[in-house]
Amino acid sequence: MKASLHRPTKAVIDLSAIAFNIEQIAAHIPQSVQKWAVVKANAYGHGAIPVSQHVQGLVDGFCVSNIDEALELREAGIAKPILILGVSSLEAVPLAIQQQITLTVASLAWLEELLSQQPNLTGLTVHIKIDSGMGRIGFRDSQEAQQAISRLQAAGAVVEGIFTHFATADERDASHFVAQLSRFKEILSGLAFLPPIVHASNSATTLWHSETIMNAVRLGDIIYGLNPSGRVLDLPYEVKPALSLESALVHVKEIQAGAHVGYGATYTSDSLQIIGTIPLGYADGWTRDMQGFDVLIDGQRCPIVGRVSMDQITVRLPQVYPLGTQVVLIGNSGAELITATDVADKRGTINYEVVCLISDRVPREYKK
């Protein structure tokens, strides 16, 4: 999707905030622990290339979802280690070797298929994924994990790391987290060979279970200044949200009592009202369920009235404003603030999804 550069709608990314957040985390964990920045999904909607270029001096490596995301970073000149967290296609293996991209190995079935096609894996670096209770991908016992390690090493691959992922590190009830941690340690203790990089800590684990940090952490939501738990747990130290979403009024009109607004005529004015139109809609990631939420204009909350359209939303204004007046959808206006978590609460989801859904049609503007 092409960025709409000639609309006033834009996401403003404060790169210095992301750097500040990484520095904050680094100050609260042992210096020897490696820091890997998770920049998958276009750096959670913040822009994988600009973010990676800005913070590469602060981290030891990057984590992405798939080979295409990794190649994007390499093509942009990112030389630090890159780990693909998901299962890769077999066709990605030669590219990974050529571009020095680290793959995740999560099952014997995948490995056997690879070795049947490519018995020599010299030049390939991998991390072993353990399923300690997340239930998605990974080995579930020491025997299979060790068998994979041995076969990879025999084929010439470097088994550099081993990791797991916690399902409930951002919740008050730590029972499942503790069970997963115990299971992961049990599997590690059963291995004949322990890879040198052992990582289990995501953002939530790094924040609220720092005593369980091993020798590397994977930092996602938190480096963008977002609380991984939403509102469940308080952040232990300050971070700065990096993304704000802005637009402007492009149309202002008065409507009479009884006038309808939007698809389905879901809003009917009960008095003479002033309605403003903003060029942003569900094609930009501002989903239809945002009707009834607010935007900020001139430091005031203005409710969204009528259904969110593909390209536009309408809001009730307290007064007539000139065309071009700034509208804040995420961020500050005067003393008022709307956060990604506020938006998530309205949608019944998480702040991760809110920022990831901001589409490529919305240009990103970067501040350093």
Side-chain angles (χ1 to χ4, degrees), residues 40 64-69 83-93 96 101-114 127-131 136-139 163:
K40 63 182 180 176
V64 297
S65 171
N66 57 64
I67 189 68
D68 297 292
E69 291 182 342
L83 169 63
I84 295 174
L85 296 171
V87 176
S88 298
S89 67
L90 300 184
E91 292 76 16
V93 175
I101 294 165
T102 303
L103 298 185
T104 287
V105 177
S107 74
L108 283 175
W110 182 89
L111 180 56
E112 287 166 358
E113 192 171 345
L114 172 61
H127 287 208
I128 302 296
K129 178 64 181 291
I130 301 299
D131 179 8
R136 297 188 306 191
I137 64 172
F139 297 95
F163 70 108

Side-chain angles (χ1 to χ4, degrees), residues 207-224:
L207 288 166
W208 296 297
H209 303 279
S210 58
E211 73 282 0
T212 69
I213 291 174
M214 298 182 183
N215 59 19
V217 293
R218 304 183 306 272
L219 304 173
D221 206 46
I222 191 61
I223 70 173
Y224 307 107

Side-chain angles (χ1 to χ4, degrees), residues 25-331:
I25 297 160
H28 290 85
I29 63 176
Q31 280 192 330
S32 59
V33 173
Q34 292 188 18
K35 298 174 292 295
W36 291 63
V38 182
V39 293
K40 63 182 180 176
N42 199 27
Y44 294 43
H46 293 68
I49 291 173
V51 169
S52 300
Q53 289 174 335
H54 190 76
V55 306
Q56 59 184 326
L58 299 174
V59 298
D60 297 281
F62 296 94
C63 298
V64 297
S65 171
N66 57 64
I67 189 68
D68 297 292
E69 291 182 342
L71 292 174
E72 178 186 37
L73 296 187
R74 284 286 184 256
E75 290 164 4
I78 300 299
K80 286 279 178 81
I82 301 172
L83 169 63
I84 295 174
L85 296 171
V87 176
S88 298
S89 67
L90 300 184
E91 292 76 16
V93 175
L95 286 170
I97 294 172
Q98 180 187 23
Q99 296 293 329
Q100 295 183 306
I101 294 165
T102 303
L103 298 185
T104 287
V105 177
S107 74
L108 283 175
W110 182 89
L111 180 56
E112 287 166 358
E113 192 171 345
L114 172 61
L115 291 173
S116 71
Q117 297 182 19
Q118 190 173 339
N120 184 355
L121 299 180
T122 300
L124 179 65
T125 301
V126 302
H127 287 208
I128 302 296
K129 178 64 181 291
I130 301 299
D131 179 8
S132 60
M134 185 73 177
R136 297 188 306 191
I137 64 172
F139 297 95
R140 293 180 67 87
D141 61 64
S142 300
Q143 184 177 358
E144 281 202 345
Q146 182 57 56
Q147 187 178 346
I149 291 170
S150 298
R151 295 187 67 177
L152 284 159
Q153 291 175 326
V158 174
V159 182
E160 175 190 65
I162 189 166
F163 70 108
T164 195
H165 189 61
F166 293 114
T168 62
D170 56 357
E171 298 180 5
R172 290 193 188 281
D173 184 350
S175 55
H176 186 67
F177 170 82
V178 171
Q180 274 198 260
L181 180 62
S182 176
R183 180 60 181 154
F184 184 52
K185 289 181 175 180
E186 180 185 345
I187 291 174
L188 295 183
S189 67
L191 297 176
F193 171 81
L194 184 64
I197 300 177
V198 182
H199 49 112
S201 298
N202 55 7
S203 291
T205 313
T206 304
L207 288 166
W208 296 297
H209 303 279
S210 58
E211 73 282 0
T212 69
I213 291 174
M214 298 182 183
N215 59 19
V217 293
R218 304 183 306 272
L219 304 173
D221 206 46
I222 191 61
I223 70 173
Y224 307 107
L226 301 172
N227 184 331
S229 80
R231 303 186 194 282
V232 175
L233 301 171
D234 292 332
L235 292 172
Y237 42 81
E238 180 192 9
V239 294
K240 298 178 180 180
L243 180 145
S244 58
L245 183 61
E246 303 174 1
S247 191
L249 293 173
V250 295
H251 189 79
V252 176
K253 62 178 176 292
E254 286 188 349
I255 62 173
Q256 301 298 316
H260 303 301
V261 178
Y263 283 115
T266 58
Y267 179 79
T268 304
S269 64
D270 59 6
S271 60
L272 179 69
Q273 294 180 357
I274 304 165
I275 302 296
T277 302
I278 302 161
L280 165 137
Y282 60 76
D284 303 292
W286 207 250
T287 51
R288 274 167 57 98
D289 52 8
M290 294 305 291
Q291 179 176 350
F293 195 66
D294 296 330
V295 303
L296 303 179
I297 299 174
D298 191 28
Q300 300 180 74
R301 291 182 173 270
C302 301
I304 298 172
V305 297
R307 283 185 182 155
V308 173
S309 303
M310 183 181 292
D311 312 307
Q312 300 174 86
I313 60 173
T314 44
V315 300
R316 190 171 69 241
L317 302 174
Q319 65 185 67
V320 174
Y321 285 107
L323 301 184
T325 298
Q326 185 191 53
V327 177
V328 175
L329 298 107
I330 299 175

